[in-house]
Structures are given as C-alpha cells and as structure tokens.
Amino acid sequence: MSHAHPELRTPPPLAPGGLRVIALGGLGEIGRNMTVFEHAGKLLVVDCGVLFPEEHQPGIDVILPDFTSIRDRLDDVVAIVLTHGHEDHIGGVPYLLRERRDIPLVGSKLTLAFLDAKLKEHKIKPVTREVSEGDELSFGPFDCEFLAVNHSIPDALAVAIRTAAGLVLHTGDFKMDQFPLDNRITDLRGFARLGEEGVDLFLTDSTNAEVPGFTLSEGDLVPAIETAFRKAPRRVIVSSFASHVHRIQQVLDAAHAHGRKVAFVGRSMVRNMGIARDLGYLNVPKGLVVDMKVLEKLPANQVCLICTGSQGEPMAALSRMANRDHVIRITEGDTVLLASSLIPGNENAIYRVINELTRWGANVVHKGNAKVHVSGHASAGELVYCYNIVRPRNVMPVHGEWRHLRANGDLAIRTGVHPKGVVIAEDGVAVDLVDGRVSITGKVPAGNVYVDGMTVGGATEASLKDRRTLAEEGVITVVAIVDADTGRLVEPPDFLARGFVHDDATFKDVVPLIEQALARAAEEGVGSAIQLEQLISRAVGNWAHRAHRRSPMIIPVVVDA
Ligand SMILES: [Zn+2]
C-alpha cells in the first residue's frame, strides 16, 4: 500500500495524458468531501461539502475545503458533479460559486433541488444540468457516466469518468441495501460492466470499512418504529436528519397506521420534506400532514411531530425542546424517537439532550436502546463484493478517517488488488494515474477554512486556540504605566481578570516579577512599548503557570507615563 508522506511538496506539472486526483476534503476526516480531477488542462470537481465543527472549535459555523489550489484555475473547472444531496457533499458549493458563479452543477433531480434551496439563501442562481442513472455526458475531456447507488438519501449517484488516462469509478457514498423503500438498488450490473471494460482507478466510500458484515436494510427498522408508536401513550416526537426521506417515510407510514396526524418542525425539515413531496420522493397520504395549529388541538395520542436536531445541534428544534426554549413543551408520557445515527464528536451533545428530555418525563427511544437506525454506508462485506465485481487495477479509498481508509485498502488487497495499486492519501495529496499506474506526486494546501458568522477564512487555527484558551484558562489584562526614561513603573500595575480565579491578594506576588523584568530591560536598553508588553506577558504567564498551574491569555498594555 502506498501512503502519503507527511512532508510532501507541491506536485510537478501532470505528465501529458495523465490524470491527477486531489481530494481537498473527506480524506482523513468524515465530512467536507471534495475531489478534484485534472486531465488535459481541465478540472472536474466531484462534490463540494462542509464539515461541522466539534466542541474544540468554538464559534465556528461550518468548515470548508481549502480552494487555494484551484483558485487560479477556476476557469478550467468544467463542472461540479454532485453525487447526492447531503451537506457534507453539497454544503460548500455556495462558497465555491461565490468565486465563479457559472460553474455548471451536475446532479440528480433531488440533489439539485436540495442544493437549489440552499443557493437561494445565498442569492445565487446556478447553472445546472440534471442527470439520472444511465446518462452519459461529457464535460471538457471528461466523459461521465452516472450509475444508481443506494444511500441514506434518495437519488444518489456514482460517477464513472473516462479520459485518455483510463476509466475511473467513484462510488460517492453508497451501500447495498437489497430492499430499499424505493426499490432503487446500487447498480452492481453497471459496476460489473465497467469492471469488464477495465476500471483503472476505483474510489470507494470507506466510512464503514471497519464494520464487518453487511449494513442492515432500511426496512429492518419497521418493528422498532412500530413498537414505539404502538406503545406511545401520548405524543410521538421524532427527530431525524432533514434529508433522510426514506426514514421519514417510514415514520409517516407508522403515524398513518396508528391514526396520528403529523406536523414538520424546523426550517430545514419543512423545506426539504416539501421538496421531496413535490418531486415525488415522499409519499404523503392525503390529510396526514397538517399545520401545527391544527395539530395542537388534537388529543395527544393522535399527534406526531417530526423535527430536526438528532445530533444535539444547539439551535435545532429538539435541543430547544429539551432546554424548554421551544413552543413545544415536552411533558410526562411523550415519546421521543431519535431515528438517526450518532455521529462521532456529537455524543456529549446528544446524551445531554436525551437526559434533559428524560428529565421532563419523555420516554426516549434511540439507537442505544432500540433498532431505530441503520447506516447509509457499505460495511466491509459489501465493499468486498464490490471489489470482486469491479476487479479494479488501482484503488483509492475515500470518505473516512485514516483508520477507515486503511481498513478499506486492506479489504481491496484481500480481494487481490496489488498492494502497489492501493493508495492511501490524505487531503491535498496528489495521486497521478499515468500509464495505468498510480503514484503519489506531491501535496497542495488542504487545511480547514472556517466560516464564522459572515466571514470565510477569517478565523484561523491560532484564533481558535485563543478561543479555547479564553474558555478554559481565562484572561488577565495587565495595565502598566512605565516611565520612558527610567523604565520603571510609575505606579503598581492594574490587573483585570476574567475566568481566572483570583482575589485582591492574588496578583501581589507578580508585581515584583514585573518590576524585575522592566529593570532588566532598562539595563539592556530595551524600551519600545511592544517589547515591554512582551516582557510583562512572559513574566505574568510564567507566574500563572508556576503559582496556579494555569495558562491564561495575558493581555499586557504598556502606557507611557
Ligand atoms: Zn452521504
């Protein structure tokens, strides 16, 4: 297996006739998926998603891929192919289109509809090209063919890309549910046909590569959902992803069967389910979905609410209900069904919400105590089938952390792919396909780009470190009035502290240390305000660490007397 070396440099120009693949996101992490293909001077982008921040990234809304390496070449981008409508595949598109508005967006009907709703919020009218499975279309030197794949959102596509350098198959996110609600299964016959033609590079979804066996069918959730509805004495409140049309279909069916009426709660849920219903992806029996005002008048045992917030997102409906910050008040006897995954990193937030809901008297049914969720990704067994069907020459695992990529690569090798043909890359790593062989040729910038309120890229790793320091260690401001001629304090410095435990006497010991530092500076002829501020910062910082085992942020202010 080839691994990306940590000290790679900018790759050399691509060999004539070759194909370069660079993932700007999604490799070494779960989220912000984006892969750039380069051939004959043109670029084809597959997916452009966002990553959601974790608790150690305070104040950040979303994280984007770094567009630096393609910024000077946006005119060479022939299209952005969107494999499906999940945020981690389409969420970055508005930000890329801000840099060039008329890049054609290619995707299935539902994918483009979800994306269009998002672009409207950004006031962008995109150039789109709707495709469906079986379609073949060329974008510059890239001949694309689209294949149906099954995933936790309808209308997902894999894309085969033919160039003079060879045939590439990119699965997007997929699994192999043989009995999906819409009967649209992953097109293994298409995969086999491409395999016969000869797949030179196979990019496969690694998310569940460590999970043995096969991902269960969406239909396997029926008994647990049924039970929750049957046993519920009062209202049923369901939380799920606003894009999981099939999961919500199952909930609607159960509500209908148990004589309940349904209302959607939360902006994205209302919007997406409206789109899915209008386009025929969600089948809503007449009279089942009603307005909140109508629902409120019904007896509790005829009520079902479907809302967002299954990941404990603080602003989403479910968290606000848990915090008593929502018009819907959880009361004794309510049943809350969390029909969703538990995305790593969100555990604390989700369990906090579950605990709060339970405290208000709700019976919370979730993945941990009932079979109310199946993954949207292929497990190891499915991946092995794919390798044996496609028989690729080279494999590049995508969509996953290092351990997932590695596990996926190992599966490929077990099915007979030559270890030299399996390349484990991380974000930014250039993988070149030349004469049928893959090699790692360099690396481009692919760090996190933070969206913070209205700014993109304003917040940096350094400013996040400051935020963590402020949150965890507090801040001490030191105002010192210094005589410019003697370098001495004119009066004792003023200390202002926040988040740092202190009383009147706390800073007594640090004053002599500041005086010593200033005296030494005067002897050495160091006198600018900035230099003195640095000295004070160091003296106070060392003292805080030694005397209090804390590392607060120090803000020194030197005023000339
Ligand atoms: Zn997905």
Side-chain angles (χ1 to χ4, degrees), residues 7 79 113 131-132 142 179 210 255 262 285 296 318 342 367 429 447 532:
E7 282 156 31
V131 291
S132 54
F142 304 94
F179 303 103
E210 286 187 316
V262 176
E296 277 168 358
L318 194 70
L342 214 164
K367 195 182 168 225
V429 169
L532 296 181

Side-chain angles (χ1 to χ4, degrees), residues 225 229 236 238 240 245-257 262 288 304-306 337 339:
I225 294 174
F229 271 86
V236 178
V238 182
S240 183
V245 178
H246 288 167
R247 188 68 45 80
I248 289 158
Q249 181 73 60
Q250 302 223 75
V251 173
L252 291 181
D253 293 346
H256 190 51
V262 176
L288 177 66
C304 174
L305 294 150
I306 301 180
L337 178 60

Side-chain angles (χ1 to χ4, degrees), residues 93-94 97 105 115-124 126:
V93 172
L97 290 196
L105 306 179
L115 179 54
D116 202 43
K118 177 177 288 299
L119 288 169
K120 272 205 187 89
E121 290 172 8
H122 288 258
K123 299 191 172 56
I124 297 174

Side-chain angles (χ1 to χ4, degrees), residues 53-68:
E54 294 185 25
E55 281 178 299
H56 65 275
Q57 292 158 328
I60 299 302
D61 300 319
V62 291
I63 303 167
L64 298 175
D66 186 346
F67 303 142
T68 306

Side-chain angles (χ1 to χ4, degrees), residues 114-154:
F114 279 172
L115 179 54
D116 202 43
K118 177 177 288 299
L119 288 169
K120 272 205 187 89
E121 290 172 8
H122 288 258
K123 299 191 172 56
I124 297 174
K125 213 174 148 27
V127 177
T128 57
R129 181 69 202 251
E130 189 183 307
V131 291
S132 54
E133 52 266 36
D135 286 351
E136 293 184 38
L137 272 180
S138 293
F139 303 98
F142 304 94
D143 298 336
C144 298
E145 177 184 343
F146 300 92
L147 298 100
V149 288
N150 169 248
H151 183 38
S152 45
I153 187 169

Side-chain angles (χ1 to χ4, degrees), residues 33 83-89 151-153 156 172-174 205 376-377 399:
N33 298 290
T83 58
H84 62 284
H86 278 153
E87 283 296 307
D88 56 339
H89 291 256
H151 183 38
S152 45
I153 187 169
D173 282 351
F174 85 112
D205 177 7
H377 302 271
H399 307 169

